[in-house]
Amino acid sequence: MSLSWIHLLAFLVAVCLLVAVHEFGHFWVARRLGFRVLRFSVGFGKALWTRVGADRTEYVVGAVPLGGYVKLLDEREGPVAPEELARSFTRRPHWQRIAVLLAGPAFNLIFAVLLLTGIFLVSGITLVRPVLGDIDPNSIAGRAGLKAQDEIIAVDSRPVGAQRDVVLDLLDAISGRAAVTLSVRGADGATRAATLNLGGAGERRHLTEPTALLSGLGLQFYEPPIPAVLGTVDANGPAGKAGLAPKDQILAVDGEPVHGFLEFQALVQAHPNASILVRYRRGDSEAEVRVPTVADVVNGKTVGRIRVSPLLPQLPASMLRHVSLSLPSAFVRANVEAWDMTALQARLFWRMLIGQVSIKNLSGPLSIAELAGDSAAAGLAAFLQFLVIVSLALGFMNLLPIPILDGGQIVFQAIEWLKGSPLSERFQSVSQQLGLALLVLLMCVALFNDITRQFG
């Protein structure tokens, strides 16, 4: 997928907002505890806007909107006036220093909870029952005895009520070492167990790669048939320029009859950088038009695109369960969701370090920009959900005990507190360099994954 200005704009909005929330946490707690704050900056580099407050703090918007910082008075960085020494970072009690360092990640977590509370309060929660569609009998799921119309009701004895729960719990279970057993309810109402034969560590790790979980298991949730009717047509794309329009029904491609949108999509994808003859019905009349396809890379494979999407059918009411929440219930549910997502992040990150989860899950700026743009295009609710996920990830990552991050600095302060004296400058310097090297390594891996996804 090629990134557009919409992806870039959504990415910058998300980064600026979440960094501002994070740094405001440091700033707000530092001010309340009596630290001297020299500068509060959103962005790096040349200052585009500067204001000096009555408290002599500089408020800055930098030219490079990919980060931010709060600069506190610190005698390790230069001379400090005697009357200001009591407000220097190194002169404050250790518990206060730790509180300031914790505040950034904490504000990201609080922000995510408040966003989720608002989403649940306004929209409620819509759950899609985890009923299975067609299952390949030769797949892992098929060999376990799973069939179409089975409904998954538990993963390793943990009850599940929605498709999303099944996916997250399966990812958690498969990235471990134990056997994975599903409890399912058949179309006849009988309940039975199905044990997934996952093979060795390599096969399990492969299943944790992006987009590999359900397809690798051979699991497919029920979806109503998608008719070969166009829902949206990009006016500047190949189909739009050729004259196709929303609600056109596709009848054939190069003379081959089309019975559903997935068939149509497969025929288009099979002809990258080619010209296809599309027969369609509009109203009561039929016509043909030749449409040139463009090439795109999806999961390392070059496919054809004409920039259209289907007219999606609605799931039957029996597949959906909607729950409306009061403010207290929404707040409680938001806290539970935030905790569950953060705990799952922690488990998966640790398993990635010990080789049980694929390192291909590390995402860099290109993938995040793609997700930001796609969620923004899907509407405000989707973009807010994206902000929740990234805010929780930012809070979690900053708590990792890597010296250059908040978590590493918290460890330093805790050690100093316990030993009763400062750590040596050499130890701190070497630790910072090692931490920076580790972060650079992780960023390089993430960027490599991005490039692989984008360009195959």
Side-chain angles (χ1 to χ4, degrees):
M1 175 180 178
S2 57
L3 298 178
S4 67
W5 67 269
I6 295 177
H7 293 88
L8 178 61
L9 179 60
F11 174 71
L12 291 178
V13 168
V15 169
C16 289
L17 178 59
L18 296 180
V19 165
V21 167
H22 182 95
E23 297 304 330
F24 182 75
H26 293 310
F27 168 79
W28 189 83
V29 173
R31 288 280 301 275
R32 293 301 178 276
L33 294 177
F35 290 75
R36 170 81 165 88
V37 181
L38 300 178
R39 183 177 299 143
F40 175 27
S41 177
V42 177
F44 295 113
K46 183 180 179 181
L48 299 179
W49 178 86
T50 302
R51 178 179 174 272
V52 179
D55 55 0
R56 295 179 295 145
T57 299
E58 277 189 325
Y59 300 90
V60 178
V61 175
V64 183
L66 296 178
Y69 62 93
V70 170
K71 183 176 177 61
L72 303 177
L73 184 67
D74 193 329
E75 58 193 301
R76 295 170 299 181
E77 298 181 3
V80 175
E83 64 273 15
E84 294 273 31
L85 277 175
R87 302 182 67 192
S88 173
F89 183 83
T90 53
R91 298 298 180 99
R92 306 303 297 173
H94 283 89
W95 72 266
Q96 291 187 358
R97 302 183 211 174
I98 291 173
V100 170
L101 292 166
L102 277 172
F107 268 53
N108 281 124
L109 299 178
I110 292 169
F111 179 72
V113 168
L114 293 178
L115 270 185
L116 274 175
T117 301
I119 292 170
F120 292 157
L121 183 61
V122 172
S123 304
I125 300 174
T126 300
L127 304 175
V128 182
R129 289 173 53 202
V131 176
L132 299 181
D134 293 334
I135 301 294
D136 181 354
N138 296 316
S139 66
I140 294 174
R143 291 194 295 271
L146 295 176
K147 303 174 183 177
Q149 300 303 310
D150 282 346
E151 181 175 2
I152 300 175
I153 57 176
V155 177
D156 285 340
S157 301
R158 179 172 175 171
V160 293
Q163 293 181 6
R164 172 181 175 274
D165 297 336
V166 171
V167 173
L168 293 179
D169 284 359
L170 273 176
L171 181 60
D172 192 13
I174 285 170
S175 62
R177 290 193 171 95
V180 179
T181 301
L182 306 181
S183 297
V184 299
R185 183 187 297 115
D188 58 358
T191 301
R192 67 185 192 280
T195 300
L196 303 179
N197 182 12
L198 301 172
E203 288 82 357
R204 294 176 80 118
R205 184 168 56 249
H206 172 71
L207 289 171
T208 67
E209 294 180 8
T211 73
L213 180 63
L214 295 182
S215 61
L217 292 174
L219 272 180
Q220 181 174 313
F221 292 119
Y222 168 78
E223 293 180 354
I226 304 175
V229 177
L230 303 185
T232 62
V233 178
D234 183 349
N236 296 315
K241 291 181 178 179
L244 291 176
K247 297 186 179 179
D248 285 347
Q249 180 183 357
I250 307 301
L251 303 175
V253 173
D254 289 335
E256 186 171 340
V258 169
H259 303 99
F261 190 86
L262 294 181
E263 288 183 35
F264 174 55
Q265 183 181 51
L267 290 170
V268 173
Q269 290 183 344
H271 297 87
N273 286 327
S275 177
I276 57 175
L277 183 63
V278 177
R279 185 166 186 80
Y280 65 96
R281 177 183 291 120
R282 180 179 299 169
D284 295 327
S285 60
E286 296 184 10
E288 288 185 335
V289 64
R290 189 158 289 279
V291 183
T293 68
V294 295
D296 206 347
V297 177
V298 178
N299 296 326
K301 182 180 179 181
T302 301
V303 299
R305 297 283 201 204
I306 60 172
R307 306 289 185 246
V308 297
S309 63
L311 185 64
L312 294 176
Q314 296 294 316
L315 283 168
S318 60
M319 286 285 296
L320 303 174
R321 184 165 67 91
H322 183 79
V323 181
S324 297
L325 299 175
S326 64
L327 179 57
S329 299
F331 182 69
V332 170
R333 181 63 181 256
N335 277 275
V336 172
E337 288 270 338
W339 169 254
D340 286 346
M341 284 191 279
T342 302
L344 179 60
Q345 274 189 101
R347 291 195 296 272
L348 294 179
F349 186 79
W350 170 249
R351 291 169 185 173
M352 189 183 300
L353 293 180
I354 62 176
Q356 291 177 222
V357 170
S358 172
I359 202 168
K360 293 181 181 180
N361 288 286
L362 279 177
S363 296
L366 295 179
S367 291
I368 296 172
E370 183 175 327
L371 291 172
D374 290 348
S375 63
L380 179 60
F383 186 63
L384 293 179
Q385 290 278 7
F386 166 78
L387 289 179
V388 167
I389 294 170
V390 178
S391 191
L392 290 174
L394 183 61
F396 167 73
M397 293 298 293
N398 270 279
L399 287 174
L400 293 177
I402 298 175
I404 201 171
L405 299 177
D406 294 328
Q409 295 302 311
I410 290 169
V411 172
F412 282 177
Q413 295 303 320
I415 293 173
E416 286 189 4
W417 195 0
L418 291 173
K419 70 189 290 280
S421 60
L423 296 170
S424 70
E425 290 187 9
R426 175 171 175 77
F427 175 81
Q428 293 191 57
S429 175
V430 171
S431 298
Q432 295 275 15
Q433 291 172 6
L434 290 175
L436 179 61
L438 178 58
L439 276 185
V440 169
L441 176 61
L442 290 175
M443 289 175 63
C444 287
V445 172
L447 187 58
F448 175 78
N449 288 341
D450 280 359
I451 294 171
T452 301
R453 293 185 193 115
Q454 290 290 326
F455 305 109

